[in-house]
Amino acid sequence: MATMADVARRAGVSVATVSHVLNDTRPVRPHTRQAVLDAVDALGYTPNTLARSLVTSRTRSIGLAVSAISNPYFTEILQGVESAALEAGYSLLIADPHDDPRHERKVVQLLHERRVDGMIVAASADPGDLVGYLRRHAVPTVFLDRLVDASAPEDVSPGEGAGAASVLGGPRFDQVCAEGTAPTALLVAHLAELGHRRIALVAGLPGLSTTSERVSGYREGLAAAGLAYDGRLLVCGNSESAGAERATSALLALPDPPTALVTANNAMTIGALRALRRHGRSVPDDIALCCFDDFAWADLFSPRLTAIAQPSRELGAQAVRVLLDRLAEPDRPVRTLRLQCTFVHRTSCGCPEEPGPAGAGGPTASSTLSEKGTAT
């Protein structure tokens, strides 16, 4: 393999100059830079990233811990993370915590032991152990999609159990997520405008911020429409298809079943549709349906699915940018970035097909960014 010294000899410069060109650590005259780059191409030189990491204490790698990578939503987030990381010259190490708090802590520790420069994590519903680990080891971390209350108590030492003495404070974390409350309220308001008075929600896994926000949006939408909240119409689908299928069947078994249904993620939409088909219910003739999370084939269903589309790729890309900002400036104020969603108006809600491009029409909110700075 060609070495940096070989490149320097071919380009007629010092090894230090080659290093400055490759690492962009000092300005180099354009013709000298080009000579070095030409030598790199001619010799097929590949930088030794391991050796570089020993010198710089940086591996130029990011750890990504995201559950349900097979979920189209998280797959698109992954694509956004990968694209932004590659553009910045970072590699990606990926692990699936399976939404299990114990497994989550383990995989994040394994990523940390691989000396990643920072971490992007979609936390579980019970991330206390994870937060404690990240704090103790001062791991630069961005929480993605699911907000974490990082001001909660943490264990004093790794060997102590949940009942051990705990302390408040310590560093908090940057976070990147989509808005959840207002978009869900918008779905409920739309169904209410169509005349529905019994609107149900199949909610996600308890403990997740995404679940809490969508439940809040559901209740806000009912209140804004002047509809009474009925606890029997709020059911838990545990963020999975099978759970949503069971929950939807329970709704249909009520003496006065709902006439409209909101599902709180794409996996639960599939489960709800299975239950509706099994019970012989037609959408939207027998029951209207709106869903949180759009996905590539949502307009291939019959009827086409009215949905809230999250800016999933941009969420992933923003998480990388926020993490890189943290690595470049460790003492900068902690940030929470919220991206807006888009209402995609189709026909499963009971509205007629509209002229124009597929999915056109209806109220929308562009995918803009809001930022909240929080002090450490």
Side-chain angles (χ1 to χ4, degrees):
M1 291 180 62
T3 65
M4 194 177 289
D6 296 330
V7 174
R9 279 192 295 270
R10 187 176 183 94
V13 299
S14 68
V15 171
T17 298
V18 174
S19 177
H20 289 312
V21 170
L22 296 179
N23 297 312
D24 201 22
T25 51
R26 195 187 72 184
V28 177
R29 287 178 295 183
H31 72 275
T32 302
R33 173 180 292 275
Q34 191 57 53
V36 170
L37 296 177
D38 289 344
V40 167
D41 288 340
L43 295 173
Y45 171 73
T46 302
N48 187 330
T49 55
L50 178 59
R52 180 187 296 172
S53 68
L54 293 174
V55 174
T56 63
S57 297
R58 291 285 183 89
T59 60
R60 296 194 71 81
S61 62
I62 294 171
L64 176 65
V66 177
S67 292
I69 292 173
S70 60
N71 184 316
Y73 169 65
F74 281 115
T75 301
E76 290 191 8
I77 281 183
L78 171 59
Q79 291 170 351
V81 170
E82 183 181 42
S83 177
L86 184 62
E87 182 179 348
Y90 280 74
S91 59
L92 203 58
L93 278 68
I94 305 171
D96 187 342
H98 301 294
D99 273 331
D100 180 334
R102 288 177 296 178
H103 191 62
E104 169 183 68
R105 155 67 189 273
K106 182 177 180 180
V107 299
V108 165
Q109 182 173 344
L110 288 173
L111 289 172
H112 182 221
E113 290 171 354
R114 292 294 186 100
R115 297 296 185 262
V116 295
D117 293 338
M119 209 88 69
I120 297 173
V121 181
S124 70
D126 184 16
D129 208 22
L130 167 68
V131 170
Y133 177 87
L134 294 171
R135 281 177 168 172
R136 284 189 293 273
H137 295 277
V139 182
T141 302
V142 175
F143 284 111
L144 173 64
D145 182 61
R146 300 158 175 181
L147 294 178
V148 170
D149 180 8
S151 63
E154 63 165 313
D155 292 340
V156 173
S157 68
E160 295 175 335
S166 59
V167 294
L168 286 170
R172 298 179 68 185
F173 299 93
D174 297 308
Q175 310 199 69
V176 177
C177 64
E179 295 286 358
T181 303
T184 309
L186 178 61
L187 292 180
V188 175
H190 180 61
L191 291 168
E193 288 171 0
L194 295 175
H196 294 282
R197 294 295 174 264
R198 290 187 60 75
I199 303 170
L201 174 70
V202 181
L205 189 67
L208 295 179
S209 68
T210 48
T211 298
S212 299
E213 290 189 1
R214 292 166 201 179
V215 169
S216 294
Y218 167 69
R219 298 193 65 160
E220 287 182 13
L222 292 175
L227 300 179
Y229 168 71
D230 182 346
R232 295 173 300 171
L233 298 181
L234 174 58
V235 292
C236 177
N238 282 322
S239 299
E240 61 179 13
S241 177
E245 187 172 355
R246 292 190 296 270
T248 303
S249 294
L251 287 171
L252 297 178
L254 290 173
D256 190 8
T259 62
L261 181 64
V262 175
T263 52
N265 78 0
N266 54 21
M268 292 190 291
T269 299
I270 300 301
L273 286 169
R274 285 200 187 101
L276 293 173
R277 182 178 63 184
R278 181 158 52 85
H279 289 273
R281 305 298 175 89
S282 172
V283 177
D285 296 336
D286 298 323
I287 185 168
L289 176 66
C290 291
C291 52
F292 204 107
D293 280 343
D294 197 22
F295 41 100
W297 56 89
D299 64 345
L300 300 179
F301 284 84
S302 181
R304 297 160 58 243
L305 298 179
T306 294
I308 293 294
Q310 298 192 75
S312 45
R313 291 197 185 197
E314 183 60 17
L315 283 168
Q318 284 289 351
V320 172
R321 296 176 192 129
V322 170
L323 179 59
L324 295 183
D325 287 345
R326 175 63 53 199
L327 294 174
E329 191 181 346
D331 295 328
R332 68 177 296 142
V334 172
R335 293 182 291 172
T336 294
L337 304 187
R338 310 279 315 232
L339 276 67
Q340 294 183 1
C341 299
T342 304
F343 180 90
V344 185
H345 193 190
R346 299 190 181 105
T347 56
S348 64
C349 54
C351 291
E353 194 75 51
E354 296 184 359
T364 62
S366 60
S367 298
T368 57
L369 182 69
S370 63
E371 176 175 332
K372 299 177 182 177
T374 52
T376 56

